[in-house]
Amino acid sequence: MTVDGRATRGDATRQAVLDTALDMFAKQGYRATSVRDIAARCGITHPGLLYHFPTKEALLKAVLERRDEVDRAEADDGVVDFANLDGRALLAHLVASAAKNATKRGIVELFANLSVEATAPDHPAHQYFVERYASLRATLIRGLDALASAGVLRPGVVPATAAAHLIALMDGLQIQWLLDARTDMAGSLRSYIDTVLTEPLAGP
Amino acid sequence: MTVDGRATRGDATRQAVLDTALDMFAKQGYRATSVRDIAARCGITHPGLLYHFPTKEALLKAVLERRDEVDRAEADDGVVDFANLDGRALLAHLVASAAKNATKRGIVELFANLSVEATAPDHPAHQYFVERYASLRATLIRGLDALASAGVLRPGVVPATAAAHLIALMDGLQIQWLLDARTDMAGSLRSYIDTVLTEPLAGP
DNA sequence: GTCTATAGCTTGATAGAC
DNA sequence: GTCTATCAAGCTATAGAC
């Protein structure tokens, strides 16, 4: 879409490239996917693609931004603001995300692949992931602090430690699930959360 | 070494290649490291290298096997058999491993990279990782079962679930540590273990 | 056991026509 | 906006000399 709301042909192609790139980065990883492959699946040639995204790296960044938009849109079912959920709702949201991820192998592969690749300081997505982890960690600590104040955190649980555990569990369980789809990411995460709270998390 | 115990020049080269490959796969990932680069750092050409290991894939497998040998040798400080440690010693060993890993960024990068890459069923190291995870999981469940029988497991802790948590934590904490070296892998792991036991793990 | 030389392929990116 | 054509560079792997 252009700023004034009219869709052009170029924008349609741009969208198709973005969707296809997301799918292929997800299934094969960023490094293992070539610009040519993406272009071919969109019915154009690779210089055609590079007209819209000048480099492969620019395409990756656009894909990540688009992914965040989609996630935000989905979370806005009830116009919820993730960063300001109350403690229990925040933890419930993590479990729900894990359950939803189990229906999207491609997305899980993309982020599992990238979060390791992007660990290298010179990776195009390095800064994106540094910020992503820092922000998630901060949100979790805030939520756990609130739960501590409300007295529903099991004594001895340190918010910063539990936050690190939660993030590690989400990442680690994804690897186990990718290796063996019988892994219950959501259930496993929930059972950790229940050891942290004085009263189990409600819900499905 | 040849079967009868005599070292030959070829064997020395073989060893150098193995060590160098481990180092470079670790620092840059398997896919991003070329056979040429490895050969050059060994002072030979790449066809020279391919005489010893017919393909890059064969080299990877040899590196993984070598890594396991070294790990086993290190664990055998006191001639300990990892799979038959008693429960507490097994958990203490995990913490010690995490601490040791924090001195070897290369190795951590190699395994973090590979455990995600190898999630793809057609990856050369797929079977290796499937078996690695299954065996670690089995060992952990056995150890936790023993602790449960001894009555030192906090009530409500399910061995299979705690085993999945421990593996996920080790993998996930590695990613956080690679992103930010201030992450305390060993401490974080230990604090999870302490929530699972009725009495904290002794030791440094 | 290691070399030179090279085949044969894929990659990301650019120039310039239409 | 998309194409053809092409570049320069990288890769794994092989053939055959020494």
Side-chain angles (χ1 to χ4, degrees), chain B residues 21-202:
Chain B
L22 170 59
D23 190 51
M24 299 189 75
F25 286 162
K27 288 210 170 88
Q28 315 170 7
Y30 169 70
R31 292 188 165 130
T33 305
S34 74
V35 175
R36 270 178 173 81
D37 291 343
I38 300 168
R41 274 223 342 219
C42 294
I44 59 175
T45 61
H46 79 278
L49 188 158
L50 290 173
Y51 165 81
H52 298 281
F53 305 92
T55 64
K56 189 188 182 185
E57 184 175 325
L59 175 57
L60 172 61
K61 288 189 171 153
V63 163
L64 291 175
E65 273 161 29
R66 171 145 179 70
R67 187 66 223 157
D68 280 349
E69 276 168 30
V70 171
D71 275 347
R72 231 172 284 130
E74 282 181 3
D76 286 1
D77 278 349
V79 200
V80 195
D81 178 5
F82 177 72
N84 288 316
L85 285 179
D86 94 282
R88 286 189 104 80
L90 177 63
L91 296 177
H93 179 78
L94 291 188
V95 174
S97 285
K100 206 166 56 185
N101 280 340
T103 68
K104 305 185 255 189
R105 174 162 178 120
I107 306 291
V108 172
E109 279 174 342
L110 174 61
F111 277 88
N113 257 306
L114 280 183
S115 50
V116 175
E117 264 185 33
T119 260
D122 62 338
H123 191 282
H126 181 73
Q127 202 49 35
Y128 173 89
F129 275 92
V130 166
E131 281 160 22
R132 185 186 171 83
Y133 275 80
S135 134
L136 178 54
R137 185 184 150 85
T139 300
L140 285 173
I141 290 181
R142 225 178 303 126
L144 290 164
D145 271 337
L147 290 171
S149 302
V152 295
L153 221 53
R154 200 174 53 70
V157 172
V158 180
T161 304
H165 285 174
L166 284 166
I167 298 173
L169 281 170
M170 291 190 291
D171 284 340
L173 287 170
Q174 288 186 357
I175 295 177
Q176 289 177 51
W177 177 76
L178 288 171
L179 270 178
D180 178 354
R182 290 169 304 180
T183 303
D184 179 10
M185 291 192 285
S188 203
L189 193 59
R190 171 189 291 260
S191 80
Y192 171 80
I193 291 172
D194 285 345
T195 70
V196 156
L197 300 175
T198 52
E199 203 149 324
L201 211 55

Side-chain angles (χ1 to χ4, degrees), chain A residues 40-98:
Chain A
R41 273 222 344 217
C42 294
I44 59 176
T45 61
H46 81 279
L49 188 157
L50 290 173
Y51 165 79
H52 297 281
F53 305 93
T55 66
K56 188 187 182 186
E57 184 176 324
L59 175 57
L60 172 61
K61 288 188 172 155
V63 163
L64 291 175
E65 274 160 29
R66 169 144 181 71
R67 188 64 223 156
D68 280 349
E69 277 168 29
V70 172
D71 274 346
R72 232 172 284 127
E74 281 181 4
D76 287 0
D77 279 349
V79 200
V80 194
D81 180 4
F82 177 71
N84 287 316
L85 285 178
D86 94 281
R88 286 189 104 80
L90 178 62
L91 296 178
H93 179 78
L94 291 187
V95 175
S97 285

